[in-house]
Amino acid sequence: MAPHPFLAPLVSLLYLVSAASSEGRYRQGDAVMLYVNKVGPYHNPQETYHYYQLPVCSPTDIRHKSLTLGEVLDGDRMAESMYEIRFRENVDKKVLCEMKLSPQQVERLRQAIEELYYFEFVVDDLPLRGFVGYMEESGFLPHSHKIGLWTHLDFHLEWNGDRVIYANVSVRDVKPASLDDVRGPDPLPITHTYSVRWSETSSERRGERRGGRGGDDGFFPRTLEIHWLSIINSMVLVFLLVGFVVVILMRVLKNDLARYNLDEEASSSSSGDDFDQGDNGWKIIHTDVFRFPPCRSLLCAVLGVGSQFLALGTGIIVMALLGMFNVHRHGAINSAAILLYALTCCVSGYVSSNFYRQIGGERWVWNILLTTSLFSAPFFLTWSVVNSVHWANGSTQALPATTILLLLTVWLLVGFPLTVIGGIFGKNRAGPFDAPCRTKNIAREIPPQPWYKSTLVHMTIGGFLPFSAISVELYYIFATVWGREQYTLYGILFFVFAILLSVGACISIALTYFQLSGEDYRWWWRSVLSAGSTGLFIFLYSVFYYSRRSNMSGAVQTVEFFGYSLLTGYVFFLMLGTISFFASLKFIRYIYVNLKMD
């Protein structure tokens, strides 16, 4: 039976996300296709170009491989190569092609080598990486600057049964062709050759070989060793902090409740006509603490989208823990994130509309539109700028028109309708707010607050403590996303994510209590901003990482880094602001339910 038209984009996206690896089965002598993919500066991971943009051996008719959505999002543009590789058949110094490079082509290669360009090939879904050329700087006086082009590549492949298990490319024991002595308009003759060496392996897991080395054979650095010690240290500090806050706060709160309830019994027996007279602290504002805030629709939209990203982040980590992401599958996490974002749009619509109706909102259609555009509008604006820069520079990171239309269709036919459907269910299932205290018509005057209870101080404290809980792991995440690492410690990531949410909730409760103790009942937006400001600290850390911990440079990489780092900080603001708000709301309901009042 054909899928419903509404589900067609979802079915196609599921196929793109879960497309099986192109691992093949071969008999001896069968052709094993090697695809050329991309090149780019080693220190700029997101600045990539098509391999055939360099003056290299290329077929007359370039045929591209059909790619999955994740591969396209990852900047892959695979095309068939001229290398002839046959299963289990060795080749020794076979000529690939002979070229005569013009001075302009030589200068293009020199520039690429000086910028540490690396190339990426793919054989049977296994990546092979190496540098385009060789550069040597030596001496001060006299100074020597040598540049050479690797014209011979050694391919080493390992097989088990009828499968390719491991693939690597190297330039060992090969002398590069010098590009230093090119003078005048005469072309430079270059001959490209290659060798293929097959060996049998007992390993059955693809991408691994004897000795435990990965598929890229150490081309990218392997500094992501198990960093349990630093994580355990961070966890101990966080647990001590959370325990300290909880114990102190519960003792103070217990004393407050005992004192306030004792005062209430005394006042009821002494016919006092003014309930508030002689009182202070959070009890005195019980008639204002549940007064609804300004900009209700925006607050509910923040809570809805924040809940969606909490579900999205949890889903991604759980999928990673279940082993659904293969490090050799290009862009698998990107594809899964797009799919989960589309499916979790119903969460944002439901939470936003449900809470909006509870606090007396009437313009629910406007609330749904605000919810669906709260993240998608900034994301589209950022992506437009970044994609335009990539397109202007000819980078493969610029998305093709067909991919853009596919993603837009998925959002229009899956994401937006699910937001509306979730909003309808949330509106219809919303009950009364059911505040434990009645709210007076006239708002109470708020006394002057000391500087340490200001919004800025609360944002500084509420943002720094959750950030400190994840600062160790944040480096490894940045090194993976913006560097050359392969992150596989998803168990640690799950614990750090849980710690982040716990610290955000606990610090929000503590700051909300201190705010109410100062007779300031404007806690609604303050609770969102307190822990939500962690996103600002994450963005500041990204600035530090760019300038001090990376070698990224150039307009293309810089625009992408800061554009998406800004979006990342915004997402953390939404997530932690949501956790912070609902933790504060639960806490306030608890203390006022347990307070004896007339």
Side-chain angles (χ1 to χ4, degrees):
M1 184 176 64
H4 191 277
F6 175 78
L7 297 177
L10 181 59
V11 173
S12 63
L13 186 62
L14 278 170
Y15 169 77
L16 289 170
V17 172
S18 59
S21 169
S22 57
E23 172 188 352
R25 303 280 179 169
Y26 304 95
R27 291 178 296 182
Q28 185 168 357
D30 287 351
V32 180
M33 177 56 68
L34 185 145
Y35 294 98
V36 298
N37 191 11
K38 55 191 177 183
V39 295
Y42 182 83
H43 296 298
N44 292 354
Q46 279 69 40
E47 184 182 350
T48 55
Y49 305 94
H50 198 289
Y51 179 75
Y52 286 143
Q53 289 182 246
L54 290 178
V56 293
C57 297
S58 61
T60 305
D61 181 22
I62 298 177
R63 290 180 291 184
H64 287 84
K65 179 187 177 184
S66 178
L67 302 177
T68 65
L69 175 62
E71 290 169 338
V72 174
L73 294 175
D74 202 38
D76 292 346
R77 302 293 185 270
M78 299 184 199
E80 294 182 3
S81 70
M82 298 176 61
Y83 295 96
E84 295 181 1
I85 300 178
R86 296 193 175 276
F87 190 65
R88 296 172 56 184
E89 290 187 0
N90 294 335
V91 175
D92 186 38
K93 293 187 178 180
K94 183 175 181 179
V95 175
L96 181 66
C97 76
E98 294 182 353
M99 301 180 64
K100 291 186 176 181
L101 300 178
S102 67
Q104 293 79 13
Q105 291 176 322
V106 172
E107 184 60 31
R108 177 75 178 95
L109 285 172
R110 286 176 57 90
Q111 182 181 2
I113 294 171
E114 287 178 342
E115 294 180 6
L116 295 180
Y117 267 46
Y118 75 99
F119 63 83
E120 180 178 282
F121 296 163
V122 177
V123 57
D124 201 38
D125 211 38
L126 294 172
L128 301 89
R129 302 181 181 97
F131 285 106
V132 172
Y134 167 82
M135 182 176 66
E136 179 182 347
E137 299 271 357
S138 61
F140 179 68
L141 287 175
H143 174 69
S144 64
H145 181 75
K146 298 179 180 179
I147 293 180
L149 174 68
W150 297 118
T151 57
H152 179 84
L153 298 179
D154 281 316
F155 296 99
H156 176 211
L157 300 99
E158 296 183 357
W159 56 275
N160 185 316
D162 57 357
R163 298 186 307 145
V164 179
I165 301 298
Y166 170 84
N168 179 45
V169 61
S170 67
V171 290
R172 295 190 183 100
D173 303 324
V174 178
K175 186 177 181 180
S178 176
L179 300 181
D180 294 320
D181 300 327
V182 180
R183 297 289 185 270
D186 296 334
L188 175 67
I190 292 291
T191 301
H192 288 274
T193 58
Y194 67 98
S195 300
V196 180
R197 180 167 53 91
W198 289 89
S199 59
E200 188 174 9
T201 179
S202 59
S203 175
E204 296 184 358
R205 185 174 178 181
R206 284 169 57 80
E208 291 188 356
R209 63 176 303 187
R210 289 182 295 270
R213 286 179 288 177
D216 54 19
D217 200 29
F219 177 74
F220 291 151
R222 297 278 182 163
T223 58
L224 279 182
E225 69 277 359
I226 298 180
H227 44 284
W228 285 105
L229 186 60
S230 58
I231 293 300
I232 291 175
N233 180 51
S234 178
M235 289 173 62
V236 169
L237 292 177
V238 166
F239 283 135
L240 288 176
L241 171 66
V242 172
F244 176 78
V245 170
V246 170
V247 170
I248 297 299
L249 198 58
M250 291 306 296
R251 291 191 63 180
V252 171
L253 193 59
K254 184 178 180 181
N255 294 334
D256 283 352
L257 287 172
R259 177 167 57 88
Y260 288 157
N261 290 333
L262 184 62
D263 292 344
E264 172 63 19
E265 293 174 1
S267 63
S268 62
S269 62
S270 62
S271 67
D273 55 352
D274 188 0
F275 177 80
D276 292 339
Q277 187 173 4
D279 231 338
N280 55 42
W282 53 267
K283 176 183 177 181
I284 199 173
I285 58 173
H286 70 282
T287 58
D288 293 281
V289 72
F290 292 104
R291 187 178 303 280
F292 296 146
C295 305
R296 296 184 224 177
S297 185
L298 179 59
L299 175 65
C300 295
V302 169
L303 300 179
V305 179
S307 301
Q308 176 186 1
F309 277 105
L310 285 170
L312 173 62
T314 304
I316 289 291
I317 296 176
V318 170
M319 291 174 66
L321 286 173
L322 294 177
M324 300 179 66
F325 300 136
N326 186 340
V327 295
H328 300 300
R329 293 274 299 278
H330 294 200
I333 293 183
N334 293 338
S335 301
I338 291 174
L339 174 62
L340 287 181
Y341 177 80
L343 295 179
T344 54
C345 283
C346 58
V347 175
S348 64
Y350 181 88
V351 173
S352 177
S353 184
N354 184 275
F355 196 73
Y356 184 64
R357 178 54 65 93
Q358 285 187 38
I359 61 177
E362 299 293 339
R363 302 172 60 191
W364 76 275
V365 175
W366 164 249
N367 173 251
I368 290 297
L369 294 176
L370 183 61
T371 301
T372 196
S373 60
L374 192 66
F375 174 77
S376 57
F379 174 79
F380 179 77
L381 179 62
T382 304
W383 170 83
S384 298
V385 174
V386 173
N387 199 68
S388 298
V389 173
H390 281 298
W391 176 80
N393 287 272
S395 172
T396 59
Q397 297 288 336
L399 295 184
T402 52
T403 305
I404 297 174
L405 290 176
L406 172 64
L407 297 177
L408 183 61
T409 302
V410 169
W411 185 80
L412 289 176
L413 299 184
V414 180
F416 181 71
L418 284 179
T419 307
V420 176
I421 293 172
I424 294 173
F425 274 95
K427 176 177 70 73
N428 294 335
R429 294 174 64 88
F433 186 70
D434 195 23
C437 308
R438 289 181 289 111
T439 302
K440 289 184 177 181
N441 294 329
I442 302 177
R444 182 185 182 89
E445 183 179 358
I446 300 174
Q449 300 294 312
W451 65 270
Y452 54 84
K453 289 188 178 181
S454 64
T455 303
L456 183 61
V457 174
H458 277 205
M459 288 177 62
T460 303
I461 298 174
F464 178 75
L465 291 179
F467 169 77
S468 64
I470 64 170
S471 58
V472 173
E473 199 66 16
L474 203 59
Y475 167 78
Y476 294 99
I477 296 174
F478 269 69
T480 302
V481 176
W482 302 110
R484 299 299 187 180
E485 310 291 357
Q486 292 179 353
Y487 194 98
T488 56
L489 307 177
Y490 300 114
I492 293 180
L493 185 62
F494 179 78
F495 282 114
V496 172
F497 186 65
I499 288 174
L500 174 65
L501 301 183
S502 302
V503 173
C506 289
I507 197 63
S508 173
I509 290 174
L511 292 175
T512 299
Y513 172 78
F514 294 139
Q515 181 183 358
L516 297 181
S517 298
E519 302 178 18
D520 185 355
Y521 51 82
R522 298 169 301 183
W523 63 273
W524 301 75
W525 277 107
R526 179 78 68 86
S527 63
V528 173
L529 295 174
S530 59
S533 61
T534 305
L536 177 60
F537 282 89
I538 291 176
F539 178 74
L540 294 176
Y541 177 81
S542 70
V543 177
F544 168 78
Y545 181 87
Y546 180 87
S547 60
R548 299 294 184 183
R549 292 291 182 265
S550 76
N551 294 308
M552 291 183 282
S553 61
V556 175
Q557 184 67 33
T558 301
V559 169
E560 168 135 348
F561 179 84
F562 285 107
Y564 287 125
S565 293
L566 196 60
L567 274 181
T568 302
Y570 181 52
V571 168
F572 273 90
F573 165 77
L574 295 173
M575 285 196 304
L576 293 176
T578 299
I579 285 289
S580 175
F581 176 84
F582 283 119
S584 296
L585 177 61
K586 188 76 174 178
F587 168 74
I588 292 174
R589 283 184 180 274
Y590 171 79
I591 63 175
Y592 282 99
V593 162
N594 288 276
L595 186 65
K596 295 180 181 179
M597 292 175 294
D598 290 337

